[in-house]
């Protein structure tokens, strides 16, 4: 896997991430090469400990029943990243039901 492929996957993750201050998008999301064929995309919880809450439904009474506008962003990012990697690496992606 090329560095370009890895950086494109990171760009896709960042494009999907919510941005209020930019900390989650620009500081907490990272990519790391593990081996020639393996990368790790991750959100650093030390930098953005609130990250899981940006992806989950709002259940607190504080929100008065409002829906989290970012709910599910990580799932959407993963789908786009997998589709990109499948195309880039001449693979096939089949979403299981």
């Amino acid at each position: 896997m090329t560095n370009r492929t890895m950086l494109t996957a990171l760009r896709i993750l960042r494009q999907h991430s919510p941005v209020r201050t930019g900390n989650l998008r620009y500081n907490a999301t990272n990519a790391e090469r593990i081996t020639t064929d393996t990368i790790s995309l991750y959100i650093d919880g030390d930098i953005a400990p609130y990250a899981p809450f940006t992806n989950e439904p709002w259940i607190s009474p504080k929100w008065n029943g409002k829906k989290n506008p970012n709910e599910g962003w990580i799932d959407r990012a993963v789908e786009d990243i997998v589709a990109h990697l499948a195309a880039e690496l001449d693979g096939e992606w089949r979403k299981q039901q």
Side-chain angles (χ1 to χ4, degrees):
M1 180 177 311
T2 66
N3 284 335
R4 181 179 60 85
T5 302
M6 180 179 73
L7 293 174
T8 300
L10 177 59
R11 180 183 51 79
I12 293 168
L13 177 62
R14 286 181 172 170
Q15 285 175 335
H16 279 278
S17 70
V19 60
R20 183 172 171 196
T21 65
N23 185 55
L24 175 61
R25 181 173 288 185
Y26 300 113
N27 299 321
T29 55
N30 291 296
E32 178 181 343
R33 179 171 300 284
I34 306 300
T35 68
T36 304
D37 297 325
T38 308
I39 63 169
S40 173
L41 297 174
Y42 64 94
I43 300 168
D44 190 325
D46 289 334
I47 295 173
Y50 53 86
F53 304 107
T54 66
N55 189 61
E56 299 301 321
W58 287 345
I59 56 174
S60 170
K62 169 185 175 179
W63 301 111
N64 297 317
K66 293 179 185 172
K67 182 174 172 26
N68 178 354
N70 302 304
E71 185 177 322
W73 74 267
I74 294 174
D75 295 326
R76 292 187 298 276
V78 168
E79 285 186 11
D80 285 354
I81 291 165
V82 170
H84 163 72
L85 292 175
E88 185 76 19
L89 302 172
D90 296 324
E92 182 179 337
W93 177 49
R94 288 180 268 156
K95 188 174 180 180
Q96 293 185 346
Q97 300 299 328

